[in-house]
Amino acid sequence: MAKHWKTKLIHSDVKVPQGFRSLTVPIYRGSTTLFPDAAAVTDDWDQYEAGYTYGLYGTPTTLELASRICELEQGYRTIITPGGQGAISLIKLALLRAGDHVLVPESIYGPNRKFANDVLRRFGVETSFYSPDIGNGIAEVIQANTRLIWCESPGSITMEVQDVPAIAQAAHRAGVLLVIDNTWSAGVYFDAFAHGADVTMQALTKYVGGHSDLLLGSATTKDKAIYERLGATHQLLGCAASPDDCSLALRGMKTLAVRLEKIEASALSIARWLAERAEVENVLHPALPSCPGHELWKRDFTGSAGVFSIVLKPKFSKQQVYAFVNSLELFKIGHSWGGVTSLAVAYDFTHYKGRPEYQHRIVRLNIGLEEGDDLISDLAQAFDLMKNA
Ligand SMILES: *Cc1c(COP(=O)(O)O)cnc(C)c1O
């Protein structure tokens, strides 16, 4: 058929050489995916079963990332979401219904708490918050309508390590599912499924991305029936992850091991140096005995990440804590972590039920890939300036 040049813009006849073999996963973008014939048209979300039906459910780039996260965490299937918070809301919306009850630790990631108190409550799901050191005691707070127990270990900012196997055992005895936010361990330093989790999630935004330039999340399960509930809800929520971002995350994965190794060593030496400082009351680093749940970390984890907190001595005012953070030069101030840049954020827990004793004196650090000695010098000069503030 002869074609006008304007038609050729859409239906070209050009041929390029085939057989390009690259080391990178191609970025497949696409909403429409083509069907071979009229009868083949379907709208199935499970691309592993149905083949590709629509870009919303993932292109080969998305599925490559999903499969690789699943391989690392040793699950059955992984679903990629547009952020870690997206994975949290997907899991809850997929697994809960009106009348259900959820147990969440006080040390939970803040927006996870808000999702429970704002969105889930509006849809008739109630949440109770438990102390992260509850262990076996979780059995006493499981209600007849409890459907799901959430763990996050270590907790966000306050860093308590949880007895996940004990909580999982109590959960399963009561027929309750256990979900864990495994972001801190990057899905590798804590084997969630071996410790009893039914579903794991990660903010891939953090260590898998690794460069502060993308937002992605993952929800992984070992159970086919749970995967089907997650997938069916994911389809209807309509939250597709960008294949471009998935490509960046796939690149991040290639250097995950070396970044984690360097960050672990650097964070440990900085945490130990901080523990000796007169300004510091406590170092909340799971690999240090001063961290609540340290013994559980030793028992259950195979490594430590680069995020931990310090609590400054009671004599320091909020203005002085701010002065400490503001005086840091290499450490920048900002949300999120797991990138190559060190970060510091001050929190005020005076009115926070979980750990009011930390008051305004808790500062969370993210250790990046700068030279450890330079980061220590930076912290030392900021302590000096804090005292004069
Ligand atoms: C950052 C974070 C999330 C949310 O991830 P986003 O990609 O920022 O939405 C969830 N859980 C934990 C523990 C986190 O640190």
Side-chain angles (χ1 to χ4, degrees):
M1 189 171 90
K3 282 179 267 187
H4 192 279
W5 69 267
K6 290 179 182 173
T7 299
K8 282 190 176 178
L9 293 176
I10 317 297
H11 301 276
S12 169
D13 294 321
V14 301
K15 296 269 183 295
V16 297
Q18 298 294 300
F20 179 70
R21 294 172 66 215
S22 162
L23 288 166
T24 62
V25 176
I27 302 176
Y28 289 98
R29 300 192 185 97
S31 48
T32 299
T33 65
L34 300 179
F35 297 95
D37 54 59
V41 175
T42 59
D43 187 21
D44 292 323
W45 63 266
D46 192 348
Q47 321 275 265
Y48 292 92
E49 294 295 322
Y52 293 97
T53 67
Y54 191 44
L56 185 61
Y57 318 133
T59 74
T61 314
T62 329
L63 265 54
E64 180 84 22
L65 177 62
S67 300
R68 290 195 184 205
I69 295 295
C70 197
E71 179 179 52
L72 263 193
E73 297 195 13
Q74 298 176 68
Y76 166 67
R77 288 269 193 271
T78 295
I79 292 176
I80 299 296
T81 57
Q85 181 65 13
I88 290 168
S89 53
L90 167 65
I91 291 165
K92 292 188 178 181
L93 292 171
L95 302 181
L96 296 168
R97 66 176 66 198
D100 287 351
H101 173 250
V102 189
L103 284 162
V104 172
E106 287 285 2
S107 51
I108 197 71
Y109 174 67
N112 187 328
R113 171 191 299 270
K114 275 196 183 154
F115 185 80
N117 287 339
D118 296 359
V119 181
L120 289 185
R121 180 168 293 161
R122 275 196 281 119
F123 288 90
V125 174
E126 284 304 319
T127 303
S128 307
F129 295 90
Y130 65 88
S131 172
D133 66 359
I134 198 163
N136 290 319
I138 196 84
E140 285 149 43
V141 292
I142 295 177
Q143 305 177 6
N145 62 340
T146 305
R147 290 287 167 269
L148 196 151
I149 298 175
W150 200 283
C151 290
E152 184 185 332
S153 180
S156 277
I157 306 161
T158 49
M159 306 302 295
E160 298 91 344
V161 183
Q162 294 194 253
D163 192 343
V164 176
I167 294 172
Q169 205 176 42
H172 294 151
R173 222 181 284 125
V176 175
L177 293 176
L178 189 109
V179 182
I180 184 161
D181 185 331
N182 206 16
T183 300
W184 187 81
S185 91
V188 293
Y189 285 151
F190 179 76
D191 185 346
F193 293 121
H195 290 92
D198 298 295
V199 182
T200 72
M201 53 86 25
Q202 276 194 70
L204 304 178
T205 305
K206 308 290 170 51
Y207 284 123
V208 170
H211 297 77
S212 312
D213 54 4
L214 64 86
L215 285 149
L216 283 173
S218 64
T220 303
T221 181
K222 261 196 123 93
D223 183 291
K224 189 166 189 286
I226 294 176
Y227 166 65
E228 282 166 3
R229 286 164 74 185
L230 291 172
T233 303
H234 182 244
Q235 170 179 29
L236 299 176
L237 287 175
C239 291
S242 152
D244 292 73
D245 288 347
C246 291
S247 162
L248 286 174
L250 284 164
R251 183 162 73 172
M253 275 186 94
K254 294 182 187 184
T255 58
L256 180 64
V258 285
R259 284 185 286 110
L260 286 177
E261 209 173 300
K262 159 80 179 161
I263 285 170
E264 175 174 33
S266 193
L268 271 171
S269 66
I270 293 166
R272 291 190 180 119
W273 178 84
L274 284 163
E276 300 297 316
R277 291 291 300 198
E279 298 85 353
V280 175
E281 180 180 75
N282 200 359
V283 178
L284 305 173
H285 185 304
L288 267 62
S290 51
C291 189
H294 165 70
E295 292 301 325
L296 298 168
W297 174 82
K298 269 206 325 211
R299 186 190 71 187
D300 295 344
F301 284 69
T302 55
S304 58
V307 174
F308 64 96
S309 296
I310 55 174
V311 183
L312 297 174
K313 289 258 171 81
K315 66 179 174 193
F316 294 111
S317 68
K318 187 164 178 166
Q319 287 321 307
Q320 283 177 300
V321 176
Y322 280 176
F324 167 66
V325 171
N326 291 339
S327 303
L328 292 164
E329 289 173 11
L330 298 177
F331 285 84
K332 303 300 177 193
I333 303 168
H335 287 304
S336 211
W337 45 268
V340 301
T341 311
S342 291
L343 302 172
V345 178
Y347 293 90
D348 190 339
F349 282 176
T350 310
H351 304 292
Y352 162 59
K353 212 164 113 238
R355 290 278 179 186
E357 67 269 29
Y358 293 156
Q359 299 173 307
H360 57 268
R361 300 177 286 118
I362 181 163
V363 177
R364 183 175 72 181
L365 301 176
N366 170 66
I367 305 305
L369 289 179
E370 302 93 339
E371 190 61 25
D373 286 346
D374 287 348
L375 293 175
I376 285 176
S377 303
D378 193 22
L379 291 162
Q381 63 83 25
F383 278 137
D384 287 343
L385 291 171
M386 169 180 76
K387 278 177 267 183
N388 303 327

